[in-house]
């Protein structure tokens, strides 16, 4: 899991992989979120699934808020 957001890293390898990919998607997502002042993280439970979360600050004329968006 610590390597999950690094470029060209994939958790499944060898014969276990069912889909293709370069391992760039999460690294790019992390870069975009962090450049906008947010943060991204993952929660995973073996056999149950994985959820990715990110927070982005929203600036308004009155004050700054954070909105949680779950995919």
């Amino acid at each position: 899991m610590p390597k999950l957001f690094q470029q060209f890293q994939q958790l499944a390898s060898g014969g276990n992989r069912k889909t293709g990919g370069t391992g760039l998607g999460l690294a790019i997502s992390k870069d975009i979120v962090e450049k906008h002042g947010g943060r991204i993280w993952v929660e995973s439970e073996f056999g149950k699934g994985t959820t990715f979360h990110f927070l982005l600050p929203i600036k308004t004329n009155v004050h700054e808020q954070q909105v949680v968006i779950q995919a």
Side-chain angles (χ1 to χ4, degrees):
M1 289 291 240
K3 295 182 178 183
L4 188 62
F5 291 100
Q6 294 178 4
Q7 291 182 0
F8 305 110
Q9 296 295 318
Q10 298 174 340
L11 295 184
S13 61
N16 296 338
R17 288 189 48 84
K18 294 180 182 175
T19 60
T22 60
L24 287 174
L26 290 174
I28 292 170
S29 298
K30 181 177 186 270
D31 188 49
I32 291 169
V33 167
E34 289 179 349
K35 284 184 177 176
H36 283 87
R39 65 185 186 97
I40 187 169
W41 70 99
V42 61
E43 294 176 353
S44 184
E45 189 172 340
F46 184 76
K48 290 196 174 183
T50 302
T51 304
F52 291 87
H53 305 269
F54 67 93
L55 290 174
L56 292 173
I58 297 176
K59 293 185 180 182
T60 64
N61 292 336
V62 180
H63 53 55
E64 190 171 310
Q65 300 176 346
Q66 285 192 338
V67 176
V68 176
I69 300 172
Q70 293 185 337

